[in-house]
Amino acid sequence: MISACCSFTHPLTPSRQGRGKRFFARASRIRSLSGSRFSKGFTLLELIIVITVLSVVVMLVAPRLPSTNSSALKSSARALASTVRYLGETSVTGKKYYRLHLNISANSIRITRKLPSGEELPPDDTLFDRKILGSQVFISDVHTPRLGKVTEGEVLIDFNSAGLSEFLTIHLNAGAGKEFTVIGFPANGKVKILEGYQEFSL
């Protein structure tokens, strides 16, 4: 009787098993090195490059952004010009007398209604109650042919049935050399806004 004996051999020979172990060991080492590198974050050179690029971007973009003070100054000049214009129109059409109080020392602008008796009352138009000067906007000076240039105290400008009673120049500033000029013309009631400190005379 012939007996048959068979043996089962694992498909991976010892040599193949050795190569497999070395492969997995190498892969594990690569993952370990990669993980340690990424865990350290940016290098000093990389941080310096990023900071330099951001600095250049800020220097290029920042000057083009509108300044808050500049915007407030421009808005204040427009509000003042529209107030002077509206005062003239209301005085002419309503045959009323108004007085514009420009207090340079207190940096305030207010309007009163002037009666024939000379008494001054609060204005009868709610538009005259609005705030004209924005934050960090100041009256530099006021110029009229009657008073010349006034740099302190309070200047009173009258509006009668003919409108603005005299030629008027008001300079506003927001510091750092930022200025606007508001000019009122009594003859035709026009009001101009000029950027910068402009001196104008008839």
Side-chain angles (χ1 to χ4, degrees):
M1 182 176 179
I2 301 174
S3 60
C5 178
C6 61
S7 62
F8 176 77
T9 304
H10 196 279
L12 288 178
T13 61
S15 61
R16 291 181 177 177
Q17 291 178 354
R19 286 197 296 270
K21 290 180 179 179
R22 287 195 296 273
F23 173 78
F24 286 113
R26 186 177 302 169
S28 177
R29 186 164 60 255
I30 291 174
R31 286 196 300 269
S32 176
L33 291 174
S34 299
S36 63
R37 180 181 178 185
F38 287 117
S39 64
K40 290 180 181 178
F42 293 105
T43 64
L44 180 60
L45 179 59
E46 291 170 334
L47 286 175
I48 292 175
I49 293 175
V50 171
I51 292 173
T52 303
V53 172
L54 289 176
S55 300
V56 172
V57 171
V58 169
M59 286 189 296
L60 292 176
V61 175
R64 300 182 182 182
L65 296 177
S67 168
T68 303
N69 287 355
S70 297
S71 300
L73 176 60
K74 191 173 184 178
S75 298
S76 299
R78 288 178 175 175
L80 178 57
S82 63
T83 299
V84 172
R85 187 182 300 110
Y86 187 65
L87 269 172
E89 293 173 353
T90 305
S91 298
V92 172
T93 57
K95 303 298 180 182
K96 296 179 180 179
Y97 291 77
Y98 292 95
R99 175 167 283 176
L100 178 64
H101 296 250
L102 300 167
N103 196 321
I104 304 171
S105 300
N107 196 50
S108 66
I109 299 175
R110 67 186 182 92
I111 299 164
T112 57
R113 183 163 57 94
K114 189 177 178 183
L115 301 181
S117 62
E119 182 183 3
E120 294 184 40
L121 301 175
D124 51 359
D125 194 321
T126 56
L127 288 176
F128 294 142
D129 294 330
R130 65 176 179 169
K131 185 177 180 181
I132 298 175
L133 296 179
S135 176
Q136 301 301 314
V137 177
F138 305 94
I139 305 173
S140 300
D141 57 64
V142 178
H143 185 278
T144 69
R146 173 174 55 91
L147 300 173
K149 180 185 289 188
V150 182
T151 58
E152 60 181 359
E154 185 177 50
V155 177
L156 306 178
I157 305 296
D158 288 332
F159 291 78
N160 50 41
S161 57
L164 178 62
S165 61
E166 58 187 324
F167 182 76
L168 174 65
T169 302
I170 306 170
H171 294 112
L172 304 178
N173 79 83
K178 301 180 179 67
E179 294 178 296
F180 263 85
T181 303
V182 177
I183 304 173
F185 298 86
N188 51 26
K190 290 184 178 180
V191 182
K192 287 186 177 182
I193 304 174
L194 303 176
E195 188 171 359
Y197 190 100
Q198 309 292 337
E199 293 186 297
F200 194 91
S201 58
L202 293 175

